[in-house]
Amino acid sequence: AQSVAQPEDQVNVAEGNPLTVKCTYSVSGNPYLFWYVQYPNRGLQFLLKYITGDNLVKGSYGFEAEFNKSQTSFHLKKPSALVSDSALYFCAVRANAGNNRKLIWGLGTSLAVNP
Amino acid sequence: GAGVSQSPSNKVTEKGKDVELRCDPISGHTALYWYRQSLGQGLEFLIYFQGNSAPDKSGLPSDRFSAERTGGSVSTLTIQRTQQEDSAVYLCASSLSGTETYEQYFGPGTRLTVT
């Protein structure tokens, strides 16, 4: 069965430091991977996606993520965190083969960037 | 351009009453999704519409839940005989196509409280 795991409920990082939000997945076949962000009192926003090609994908607000097939991971990263990055981050995966094509969502990781 | 809109933004109802939640997707988007997000939880898939195809209703939690999409645009999620466990934020999203590579655009959600 398809699944997504975000092993950390919360990540705390100091402003200016690099941040990583972890995501691992399990799908049959090659995955399509997505990161979304939910700012306080605002809707979910698309950040970036991996479909194929270069394993390092760049997205909005300076975020990037690296697809690692051997480790079945798609960790979200940013070289220098901002206080305004504090939000809830969701990883999602969809298989590109088989009968189950629904997007499967992680439970989210709350990122707190401290000034 | 206009994003996904949802109404009402907040709904308080008494247990046993029926409620209707509305979603206006982005113009031209053929795929529409309904999710439920409970406090501190991830996204729970409810139902998916793609063009004129039969909707994927596999996520609806009970037969009290139903949804329709008229004219390939506006969608209404109906919850009959509401229960307290139905209290959650109901999110609608649309995408350009149901093809797996397209990101979803989310509305602000409807916060449903069943008393």
Side-chain angles (χ1 to χ4, degrees):
Chain A
Q2 297 185 104
S3 66
V4 175
Q6 293 182 241
E8 301 155 316
D9 291 336
Q10 177 142 355
V11 170
N12 294 290
V13 64
E15 187 174 30
N17 283 0
L19 70 86
T20 298
V21 183
K22 296 179 180 178
C23 173
T24 59
Y25 65 89
S26 174
V27 297
S28 300
N30 294 321
Y32 296 142
L33 294 151
F34 301 80
W35 275 103
Y36 286 79
V37 60
Q38 188 172 35
Y39 295 104
N41 300 316
R42 291 168 62 180
L44 273 160
Q45 298 177 31
F46 168 76
L47 266 183
L48 51 79
K49 64 183 178 184
Y50 171 82
I51 303 301
T52 188
D54 195 349
N55 289 343
L56 183 65
V57 293
K58 295 185 183 295
S60 308
Y61 312 120
F63 284 92
E64 59 188 29
E66 185 167 13
F67 170 58
N68 187 317
K69 187 172 183 177
S70 63
Q71 297 185 4
T72 61
S73 67
F74 190 57
H75 301 330
L76 182 70
K77 299 183 179 185
K78 187 173 182 181
S80 179
L82 300 172
V83 172
S84 58
D85 293 330
S86 299
L88 190 57
Y89 291 81
F90 291 94
C91 180
V93 66
R94 178 186 277 135
N96 71 351
N99 295 324
N100 191 345
R101 302 289 190 101
K102 283 199 292 288
L103 199 59
I104 306 299
W105 295 79
L107 294 180
T109 297
S110 178
L111 173 66
V113 181
N114 307 304
Chain B
V4 178
S5 61
Q6 292 185 245
S7 60
S9 55
N10 280 285
K11 177 71 176 178
V12 180
T13 190
E14 292 180 353
K15 178 181 173 181
K17 300 283 189 182
D18 297 352
V19 294
E20 285 189 354
L21 312 180
R22 177 187 167 106
C23 172
D24 282 86
I26 293 173
S27 177
H29 281 193
T30 63
L32 187 146
Y33 310 79
W34 281 99
Y35 295 93
R36 181 167 69 176
Q37 186 177 27
S38 300
L39 188 63
Q41 300 294 315
L43 272 68
E44 176 187 5
F45 166 79
L46 297 177
I47 189 169
Y48 158 54
F49 297 90
Q50 170 54 42
N52 295 322
S53 302
D56 178 350
K57 304 179 182 180
S58 60
L60 294 178
S62 78
D63 58 8
R64 296 187 296 104
F65 288 73
S66 63
E68 62 178 22
R69 189 179 185 192
T70 54
S73 181
V74 172
S75 178
T76 301
L77 177 69
T78 301
I79 309 173
Q80 296 179 311
R81 305 181 302 281
T82 52
Q83 304 294 314
Q84 288 186 331
E85 61 262 29
D86 300 334
S87 297
V89 176
Y90 288 82
L91 295 170
C92 175
S94 69
S95 68
L96 193 59
S97 164
T99 304
E100 293 85 349
T101 60
Y102 286 105
E103 57 268 26
Q104 297 176 19
Y105 293 83
F106 284 81
T110 294
R111 183 175 297 278
L112 176 65
T113 304
V114 182
T115 61

